[in-house]
Amino acid sequence: MPRWQAIVLNWNGRQDTLACLRSLERVECAGLGVVCVDNGSTDGSQQAVREAFPQVTLIEAGANLGYAAGNNLGLRHALDAGADWMMLVNNDATVAPDVVAGFERAARAYPRAGILAGKVFFADRPQTIWFAGQRVGELLGYSGRPRGYGHVDGPRYSRIAPTGRAVGALMAVSREMVQAVGLLDEDLFAYVEDVDWALRARSAGYETVFAPDARAWHRVSASTGGEARSTHTLYYGVRNTVTVLERRRPLGLMGTVARRCAILATFAMHALTRPDRRAAVRAVRAGMGDALQRRLGPRPDNS
């Protein structure tokens, strides 16, 4: 039987993280190890995890390292512990008890799978899909909504199949794939690193596979203020999309300019639909500017 480790990254999300760890406690998987990485929380998360889940390995980063570097601490621990598969779960998500069994079915169906993408629902609409796979638009940088987004679950979203990417809210990666292509790209800090991982895995001959029976319910972008309120999703989204695609799919001068314009237009149109449109547009502009200047890492405080 493959050995599994689950990794949960926390940053000032004590109540969400405790709920996530409670759901992992109910997962039907003998010997499942659980690692909680804390990114320098100031809300008492560390003590709460120690008291409620003494069996969970708590790694204290001491600072907000971002999604990629924080999860990499957990991934290194899991690899050292001998894990064959590592399941990444957002702290603002809860998982089904049979989530590991769902991932294992997909892995058996596709032996070259290096990344498994779970099916993710909205937490406040538990039958409504947030993610059921997604293509990666490398030419224009636009992939559209995830497959199934906003739709009620049904048979069309119940087939194991290759997909373009997974999302960090619920995904599993194999030891073999990680050792072949490396850990998450820490320069990206947050967002799009899951796309980057899928593209790197594809280049190395590994598939990303949608695992419909591996399910989670997600409070979308809770750690950054919520999907509809946070401008971080826009800033990191435009910056990291440009960065990743120019690394992985160079197009030459004219193609690069066209793709940058398409990415900028896509994010700008999204920003204009938001109630905080001025702040949203500023975030898009700052993200594109930093992408062009190759400024990565955490978002500057004055962005």
Side-chain angles (χ1 to χ4, degrees):
M1 294 291 291
R3 291 168 291 182
W4 283 80
Q5 290 266 334
I7 299 161
V8 178
L9 179 66
N10 173 68
W11 181 60
N12 290 325
R14 179 176 58 185
Q15 295 307 316
D16 283 337
T17 297
L18 294 176
C20 178
L21 294 175
R22 277 194 292 272
S23 74
L24 286 167
E25 197 173 42
R26 295 190 290 268
V27 169
E28 300 154 356
C29 176
L32 174 66
V34 180
V35 183
C36 180
V37 180
D38 185 80
N39 255 356
S41 295
T42 57
D43 67 347
S45 291
Q46 304 94 325
Q47 187 62 25
V49 170
R50 285 194 199 94
E51 291 177 356
F53 300 99
Q55 75 280 14
V56 168
T57 299
L58 177 64
I59 299 175
E60 296 189 49
N64 185 5
L65 304 182
Y67 179 88
N71 272 299
N72 282 348
L73 289 176
L75 288 163
R76 291 187 187 99
H77 172 87
L79 290 168
D80 289 344
D84 300 304
W85 284 91
M86 290 144 285
M87 176 171 59
L88 276 61
V89 186
N90 268 21
N91 75 307
D92 54 359
T94 56
V95 299
D98 59 352
V99 63
V100 168
F103 277 135
E104 289 183 336
R105 277 191 286 276
R108 287 193 296 269
Y110 285 85
R112 287 302 297 168
I115 300 177
L116 303 172
K119 182 191 289 182
V120 185
F121 299 88
F122 288 93
D124 58 352
R125 289 172 283 162
Q127 292 298 316
T128 301
I129 292 172
W130 181 69
F131 181 91
Q134 189 173 17
R135 67 186 184 89
V136 176
E138 295 180 65
L139 289 177
L140 293 179
Y142 179 67
S143 300
R145 292 281 197 183
R147 180 170 173 265
Y149 183 93
H151 293 194
V152 174
D153 194 18
R156 65 182 299 188
Y157 306 115
S158 299
R159 185 171 65 89
I160 299 170
T163 188
R165 60 169 294 197
V167 288
L170 178 64
M171 64 190 297
V173 294
S174 71
R175 164 184 287 271
E176 181 182 327
M177 187 282 293
V178 173
Q179 290 178 331
V181 311
L183 298 169
L184 290 160
D185 184 344
E186 298 184 6
D187 286 341
L188 299 176
F189 193 74
Y191 298 100
V192 192
E193 60 276 276
D194 41 19
V195 175
D196 176 67
W197 228 3
L199 294 177
R200 286 156 54 198
R202 182 191 302 172
S203 295
Y206 295 93
E207 292 183 284
T208 298
V209 174
F210 174 54
D213 298 328
R215 298 164 296 145
W217 291 263
H218 183 28
R219 289 186 61 233
V220 180
S221 299
S223 64
T224 55
E227 188 175 46
R229 291 181 293 169
S230 172
T231 61
H232 289 316
T233 58
L234 296 169
Y235 169 82
Y236 287 115
V238 66
R239 188 195 73 178
N240 292 348
T241 297
V242 170
T243 298
V244 167
L245 293 183
E246 291 188 3
R247 286 176 180 170
R248 304 294 164 201
R249 185 71 181 273
L251 295 179
L253 178 59
M254 296 305 294
T256 295
V257 170
R259 180 166 59 193
R260 287 175 178 176
C261 289
I263 293 170
L264 182 62
T266 298
F267 279 91
M269 285 189 292
H270 180 55
L272 290 171
T273 67
R274 293 169 48 126
D276 58 344
R277 68 181 63 179
R278 289 186 180 180
V281 169
R282 284 197 302 270
V284 171
R285 188 187 307 125
M288 178 57 77
D290 283 353
L292 299 184
Q293 295 297 319
R294 303 291 191 264
R295 287 193 293 261
L296 299 176
R299 180 183 183 181
D301 290 340
N302 60 355
S303 293

